[in-house]
Structure formats: structure tokens, C-alpha cells
Amino acid sequence: MSGNGSEGGTIETRIPSRLDRLPWSRFHWMVVIGLGTVWILDGLEVTIVGSIASRLTEEGSGISLDASQIGTAAAFYVAGACLGALFFGQLTDRFGRKKLFLVTLAVYITATVATAFSFSAWYFYAARFFTGAGIGGEYAAINSAIDELIPARVRGRVDLIINGSYWVGAAGGALAAVVLLDTALFAADFGWRLAFALGAALGVGILLVRRNVPESPRWLFIHGRDEEAEEVVGRIEREVREDTGEELPEPENSLVVQPRERIGFREIARTAFEKYPRRTILCLALFVGQAFLYNAITFDLGTLLGEFFDVGSGTIPLYIALFAASNFLGPLTLGRLFDTVGRKPMVSFTYLGSALITAVLGVFLLGNDLTTWSFMAFILAIFFLASAGASSAYLTVSEIFPMETRALSIAFFYAVGTAAGGIAGPLLFGHLINSGSQDQVAIGFFVGAVVMAIGGIAEIIFGVRAEQRQLEDVAEPLTAEGAPEPGEAEPERPRDEEVERGQRIRRRAEARERRERAGRRRYRPGPGRFGASRGLTPSAGEVDSEADLDREIGIIQRALADHGSANRRELARRVGPRYWGPGRFRSALREAVEEGGVKRLRGGEYAPAQSVGGPSSSQPTERGE
């Protein structure tokens, strides 16, 4: 059954599988542009305010704030973001992703336009509060919608790059400020107002694209709107077929749910703290760690450069632009590894790696051995890793909590992390910078290293392997039924074939573990494997991963047996691995060679073994169908 239906108050659907098996197409680009570019707005907002702060304190600016009022305005923005995330987050889970990501963007645009007309401190505070509320609401609505529409095989890299695009806005804001604050081009009381107007104009452009993004089909069927969900997915599939010119493989897995219009806050809280306490600890550690380090350095980088390295205020925006570029390059270049190497190795690596470099920077500050560029080299290296780690925090919380609580979970951890780490970090660093001592500032970097290391350790202990897995496999929906409706289950595989497949998977896992103990690389591309010979009980996701590998090896073996030897590129063309996920073809081909089902010939060609066994006899040969 490729569609869905309801009977007796339940709905059986294959919509998650249908969405996850789609090849990348223009539809996905529309989702990225329409939803993901909001982070550019956030980066633009924060950086522009930081860059124009000195202008707002000057006579003739049209508002004349003092330094303490600038800090108060920043606090109002952060408070608005935290409260907006919580307020709009619970509305997103209740009323839908699309309604709220349109509303929150409208709030942002309105508040940003209002900021451009500021005439007094209280008005500026209010405008900044509601601007923050719109951005905070966006974090909840957008992250949940993106992860529910992007295929599982590339969800990690897409999510990281989108969250990292904050720094595209930051770089743009820093460079724009250089031009807008030039009194030879714009009057002192006009240039800073134009900066906010430009942010609003960008928001309007995003709103026009966003209107075409559909409601999340996952949210629709959970709330009993299964016919509407079916219509949305059917339309997406038609668009993808027309765009790619390819037929889509049949979806494999189905899900049975009991639709509910609303789930109470008490049940949501119980899910986080009783059903998933380890995941809750993990997300708190990740969010507090990244919020502390990020807000401390982002708000105080210009002050650090000016106070300790005599960088002039006119050139500080250029350093901030360089800082922003490093932050974007981290998720851009490392994002793919979160889908291939895996979530746990990469999240822990980025947190612990940035913590280590931060600690080393603290040591050099104690010795007063740094120049401007050596200091910046440390900062760029730290945040190349930390930016990927911070983006993965949003990915983690979006993946590991049930669909019904996804938006509010994102909002909760964002608000708590920002309120705790995001406030404590700038306060601590501001106090240490005011001391005028690099030794004191070094203490701040040591504290930042510790909180980031705690996040990395929490990932090692509590992390969840979610790479290339359906969201519903990572965290079962609260409304899911234990089994499909009678008469709707898939035909059972013959028992002897099932036993043979299980034995084959077990032998393969044992052989892999022996190779790893012999010194082979532990973190291979592709989804995580389970250690069978150690007697560990594999999770359902790990069993599915091994079954997928078994199927993919069989497809490769049959393609060689039916069509003869081929080089790697030709073999990939035959089997169509784009539906499998990043790194899967490479993993399956290597596994097939190592277990003897496929021979590697001189010249880089591959050929079938003398006797092609395994699952190939019952597997299709073209495009993984």
C-alpha cells in the first residue's frame, strides 16, 4: 500500500518513507531557500546592531542611546527570542508548521521596520523585543518543518548548512555596516535606519518564496488530516518526477498512528523528562555549551580586538566578516560527514575539538604571546569546528524527540540554552575584559572550553545514531500504534529465506568486528553497525541498517552477474545508489569485496565472484527498486 487509510480511529501511512526516498530536486531547493534563509536574517540582525552600536550613541543619530542602553537593547532582543521560541513553539506543534512559519516571519518583518523608525530608548527596546520574538519563533517552526521535508539520507548536512548560514548574514551585516555608516554616503541619522529596512526587505523576499512551501505532511497525518497529507505528498512526488525525469522506487515502511488534535503540555513534559531523560540531558549540555561560547565571543570579539590588540573601530567589521566566513565554512565542509561518519563521532569531535583549541588559546593568553593575527587564527580554528557543533545541537533536538513535541522541544532547549549560556557568557567575558588583563580573559576561555567539553562528553555518553534514519525510527511518535491494522500488513518473507538472511547479516557483522579489532578504521562511512559478537542487542534502527546493507550488496552482485564486469562509475550507474544515501554505495561495494561476493580486478574494474550467493537472487537489478 503506497497511500494511507484510516479505519477504527487509526491511520496507516507510508508518507515518511515516501518523503525520505525522494531524490534531491527543485522542491528541496525551494524548502531550503524559503525556510533556511531565515538564519541569514538572524545573523544580519545581530551583527548590524553590534556594528552600528557606536553610531547610536553619537550626537545627531536621531536616537542618542548610551552604552548601557545598547546593552539593555541586546538583552531585550535575547529575552524576546527566548520567549518567542517558547510561545510560538507550542503553537507550531498545535496549529501546524506552515501557519507559524508565515506568522513568525511577519512578526520579524513588522518589528524590523518599526526599529528603523526608532526615536527613543523605550521604543527601541520594544522593537528589538518583538524582532527577537519573531526570530525565536522561527527557530522552532523552521527547524521542525525542514527536518520533516528533507530526505533522511541528507538531513544532517542540509540542517547544518542551513543553521550555519546565520554567518552569511553576519558577514553581510558587517560589510554592509561599513558602507551604511559612511557619513560621506548617508546622513548620520539615516544610514543605521536603512540597515534595518534592508533586513525587512530581505524578509519580504523570503516570505514570497515561503508561501509555496507546503505544510508538513507528517504533521498533517498525526493530526488526522490524512487525505490532505496524501494530496500534499502526491503533489511533491509529481514535481520531483517532472524535475528529475525518473520513476521513484516503492516506499518500504509503513506507520500506524492514532490521530489526535492536541497533546497536552503535561504529556510533552513527561515525554522529555520521563521517557527520554538521557536525551534531555544531552540537549541541555549541547545547547548551554554552544550558547555560552558563541554569545561570549560574538558579542565581545570587537572589544577584545580593540582592547588587547589595538584594532581600530573602523576595521573591526572586517575582522568580524572573516570570523563569520570561518563559521560558515565549518558546517559547509563538515556537514556531509554527519551523514556518513555519523552523528556521535562528528558531534563529539566538533565539541571536544573546539574545546581543546579554546583551552590552548587560553594558555597563550596567559603568556601574552599572541599577535592580532595569531589570536584570530585561534578564533577562526575554534569556530570552524564550534559552528558545526552548534548547528548540530539544533539537528539533534529536532531528530531525537517525537514529532508531536518537535517544535516545542527545539524552542525549550533553545530558550534554556540561550538564557543560561547566552546570558552568562557575555556577562562573564565583559567583566573579565573590563579588568584590562589578558590573564583574566584567559579564565573566560578556559570556562568556555569546559562547557564545550561537557557537551562533547554528553554526546559520547548519551548521543543517538540518527544518521540516514527516518525520524519516526529515531523517536517513535506518541500517537503510534504497536502494529498495523489486520489485513494491511506486508506479506511475510518465507521463513527459510528470513533465517538465511539473518545468518548472513550476523556473519557479516562478526567479520567486520574482527577486522576492526585488527586495526581497520572504526568509523566507516555509512550508518552505524552493531557489534554482534559482543552479545550486544542491536536497536531497531541498527537492524534495519544491516538489512539495507544486505539488500544493497545483493543489488551490486546481481548487476555484475547480469551485465558483466564494470568500473566503479559504470556500476554506480547500473544500480542507482542516489536513493541509498551518502556513502552507502561505497560501503556496500567494499563489504561485497571483503566478504568475497565481488572481485576487484586490475584496472579498477569489479566482477562477480565464481558463485554469486546471498540475497541477489531475489533482488532487483535496476536503480535499487
Side-chain angles (χ1 to χ4, degrees), residues 331-344:
L332 183 66
T333 56
L334 299 178
R336 185 179 188 277
L337 301 179
F338 284 77
D339 284 323
T340 55
V341 174
R343 304 289 197 262
K344 288 185 70 171

Side-chain angles (χ1 to χ4, degrees), residues 33 65 154 257 304 418 421 493:
I33 295 171
L65 303 178
V154 294
V257 298
L304 284 166
T418 301
R493 185 189 298 266

Side-chain angles (χ1 to χ4, degrees), residues 204-237:
V204 171
I206 295 172
L207 184 62
L208 295 176
V209 176
R210 187 173 289 187
R211 291 171 56 200
N212 298 313
V213 177
E215 177 59 87
S216 165
R218 285 176 154 105
W219 183 88
L220 287 170
F221 73 71
I222 282 290
H223 289 77
R225 296 161 62 177
D226 49 312
E227 293 183 359
E228 188 176 349
E230 177 71 22
E231 180 182 348
V232 169
V233 175
R235 185 167 64 250
I236 294 171
E237 289 174 330

Side-chain angles (χ1 to χ4, degrees), residues 421-436:
I423 294 174
L427 286 176
L428 174 63
F429 268 77
H431 176 74
L432 296 173
I433 291 170
N434 284 337
S435 70

Side-chain angles (χ1 to χ4, degrees), residues 42 45-46 71-89 104 107-108 111 124-140 295 299 411-412 414-416 418-419 422-423:
D42 192 14
E45 281 291 320
V46 172
T72 302
F76 269 94
Y77 180 84
V78 172
C82 294
L83 295 176
L86 292 172
F87 177 73
F88 290 116
T104 52
V107 170
Y108 163 80
F124 190 69
Y125 297 160
R128 297 306 294 160
F129 175 86
F130 285 106
T131 302
I135 289 294
E138 287 276 286
Y139 275 96
N295 285 277
F299 283 116
F412 172 77
Y414 167 77
V416 171
T418 301
I423 294 174

